[in-house]
Amino acid sequence: MINNKQRNFLQGYSIKNKLIMISLIVSSFGLLIIGIGMTMTEVSIIKKSMLKELTVQAKIIGNNSTASLAFDDPKSAEETLSALKANTTIDYCILYTKEGKPFARYSNIDEHKHPLIPLSKIKPNHFEFDHVSVYQEIILDGKVVGRIYIQSNLDEMYDNLFHHGLFLLLALFFALLGSYGVSQKLQNTITAPIIQMADLMQIVSEKKNYAIRTPIESHDELGQLAEGFNEMLSQIQVRDTELEAHRQNLQKLVDQRTNELQNSNKQLTIELAARSEAEKMALKEKVQAQMYLDIAEVAIIAIGVDQTVVRVNKKCCTLLGVQERDILGKNWFEHFIPQREKEAVKEAFIQLMSGKVELASYLENTVVTTKGEERLIAWHNTIIIEDNGQISAVLSSGEDITERKIAEQALRESEEKFHTITASAQDAILMMDNEGKITYWNESAEKIFGYSEKEVLGWPLHELLAPERFIGAHQEAFKHFKKTGEGTVVGKTVELAALKKDGTEFPIELSLSAIMKDGRWNAIGMIRDISERKKMEKELQEKEELMLIQSKQAAMGDMIAMIAHQWRQPLAIMGMDINNLMMSIALEEEITPDYLLKLAETLNGQVQQLSETIDNFRNFFKPDQSKEQATIEEVLNNTLNIIGSSCENNNITLTIQNTSTSSLFINKSSLMQVLLNILGNAKDMLVAKKVAHAAITVTVNEINEVITISICDNAGGIPESNMTKIGQPYFTTKEALNGTGLGLYISRTIIEKHLFGTLTWHNEESGACFVITLKIKPD
Amino acid sequence: MQLIYRVFFLFAWLISLSGHVEASVYDENQIKTAFLYNFPKFIELPGEQTLTLCIVGNDPLADTMAVLDGQVTAGKRLVVKRITSGDTIPSCQILFISSSEKNNLEPIMKYVRKKQILTVGDTPEYPQQGVIVNFYRENNRVKIEINIDAAEQSKLKISSKLLNLARIIRDKQ
């Protein structure tokens, strides 16, 4: 063990350094021994001398103390002892009587620093590490009169030793230094030849030059070594040449062999590479397969011959709520199939296992998860066949169709509901897809159009159902609709013409809406056969017209009365004037031409009035309903012409405020009829109620191309309960006067339908106000 | 400490004290005798094999000293001779004059003058009257006083060791 260590320790150094180190070590070793030896000797000498000195001192002191002891005079003894002060190393000196009692004492030191050894522990000559002491008998005349104990400290000694040690170390250091230097010089004699040889060896081994020889310079062991070295080299040289020859020979053989080996090695490598590749591939595939299995969104499970699970993927585990390790090896049917389906599923399994794959390749059955939840799974099944042809397992991929089934059910129910609704609908419900083809045709559609569902589904809707003249327009609109789902008719209810199966055209009301189905615009239409309605409308219209005529006739009756009224005055005036003339003639008064002219003028005037009234009447009753440009002013004047004097006669003040100057394109007589009607009503009411200061105010305003005619009276207003009734046909408050009840109704009809305006009424403070609005430019 | 212990210790101490008192008187004579026995070790006295110690007078010390007879000190054997007062003094090297001779000192001193005799006493004023070594008490201790003039006159060399611890008395000149 130690040898190893030594070897390792020195091995690292070159021989030169080794030698130097050895000599250093040896020198230091020697010096150290000397040093230690010297120190020890020194110490011994010091000890001896110290003891001797102390002993002598003890003797002297003892001698000098005999008298003190003999005569029991401690004081004088102490005086004697005090002489010891001269010796600084002495700590204590105690005199004891022959009985062993302390007699006198000297101490030179703090007791704690160097304690006094008690009497019991005193040895005659005592050299401890911290003190030296002597203990002797004091003899007087051959007898012991007392004892003396001196204790001295070793401070001085240690001091000396310390200095000594320092000096020694210094000496050691210098000695080593010197040793080093000398050995440096001297080691050469040993190392130089060795190094030389080593260098030579280096060259020999590097250059393989065995012809070199080392010089022999000394006759000691190195010289022997050199000789041996040279001898060795010669031998090597000889052998070398021999070897070379053999080598050449061998080389050839070896090369041959090497080639062979290399070739076979290459082949092996290739094979190995191929095999490892194959293995890698297989592993990769396996890993991939597992990965595919695991990333598959479907549950994959393999069930072995023994009906236990041999393989599962992650999805299957999640579906069933198990960990892979918990399911592998368990009997599939016992654990995961509900009781009621177990036999059926097992049956399918057995069929599969016997190779009848087609029979059971698709199967929907329930599985039970570990939580007890039941899920409906659609399994696609196949079998795994081993290399030996045996069927080893059934492989199934399953999709959880629980939700889907529920959704399908819901859809079915919804469709049924839909069907029930649409079947019972009175209107035809059609659906048109993005290509214009009919995709839905309910029962009512069948009834209305005459086509059965079978006949129309898939047919183009417009071509089939629209009259020929409209098909083009529909197709145009459809083009736009196809892209945008928008159209003029979309989202609205419109009236169109349609064709029945038998070719008859009939009016329909169509409510059209657009829906987005599968990313495309489809249309849903609800169609109502409005032939009946149209007929009724026409009838109604005819009735209205009849009513209009009737009212006109009634109004005419009124008007005739009014005309009669109007005529009365002029006729009266004319009669009077004529009577005057006749009287003048009878009285043979002078009939001047002026008088005659004046008479003629007045008569003319009155005739004109009569004429105007007739004209107005005629105009009013004109059958043609032609429109012309006329201002309100014109119409009002005409109206006044007819009704003016009637109002006067009834003391009704008629005020007209007309600020409108625009002309409208209207049927003057229609408007006149309305005005006459309203004014007539007002007049009648004022008269009936015998209103004092009866007044009718007609205000005409024009704002934003709308003319407003307000006819207000102070007849007290329309009773609340009659507000809406008065607009209704055949409602009258003037039964006593043979009112037809049609006036206001007709007026409103005229205003709204012919003049495209509005007629409303309301109560003001003192009476009712009837307001007509007309657009100057009706749309 | 409890009272009983205190009393006990006091009692014991008193007893020891009394013993001490008695003992000290007893010891004193012994001490003086011992001292005297030691004197020859520090004082050069004539005689080669024997030292004659003459004891003059009678007192307890004298009796105690008589015990020294036959003892060897400083290599010489002590021979004790008792002398009653008034008798002639035989040849001796050490002459102990007891206190009883206090008034009879003159003739003794006349006799010993100029002779190599070590006179020893234990009575005050003895040294003044020529006694060389005298014992006295100080602080309950036995001490020595020496008349060095008298010693010189008697041609006796006293070791400095002894002189060191003695009270030196000189003759008044």
Side-chain angles (χ1 to χ4, degrees), chain A residues 544-574:
Chain A
E544 270 186 13
E545 274 173 21
L546 191 66
M547 256 200 298
L548 215 63
I549 292 170
Q550 279 181 345
S551 84
K552 246 216 174 117
Q553 286 177 344
M556 204 169 66
D558 285 337
M559 275 188 66
I560 289 175
M562 278 186 246
I563 289 172
H565 224 100
Q566 287 286 91
W567 269 13
R568 205 163 284 159
Q569 209 172 3
L571 283 171
I573 293 170
M574 279 170 70

Side-chain angles (χ1 to χ4, degrees), chain B residues 104-122:
Chain B
N104 202 20
L105 213 55
E106 197 35 60
I108 302 170
M109 293 288 79
K110 225 168 133 187
Y111 170 73
V112 298
R113 200 162 290 146
K114 303 229 167 83
K115 288 198 180 77
Q116 266 195 314
I117 298 175
L118 175 68
T119 45
V120 182
D122 77 333

Side-chain angles (χ1 to χ4, degrees), chain B residues 5-22:
Chain B
Y5 285 118
R6 286 202 193 182
V7 169
F8 174 71
F9 275 116
L10 187 64
F11 202 52
W13 184 71
L14 281 172
I15 289 179
S16 68
L17 212 56
S18 61
H20 189 71
V21 167
E22 261 195 33

Side-chain angles (χ1 to χ4, degrees), chain A residues 64-74 76-77 80 103, chain B residues 42 161 165:
Chain A
N64 286 341
S65 313
T66 46
S68 315
L69 280 164
F71 299 108
D72 193 25
D73 191 345
S76 59
T80 314
F103 179 70
Chain B
F42 296 96
K161 295 174 194 170
L165 45 88

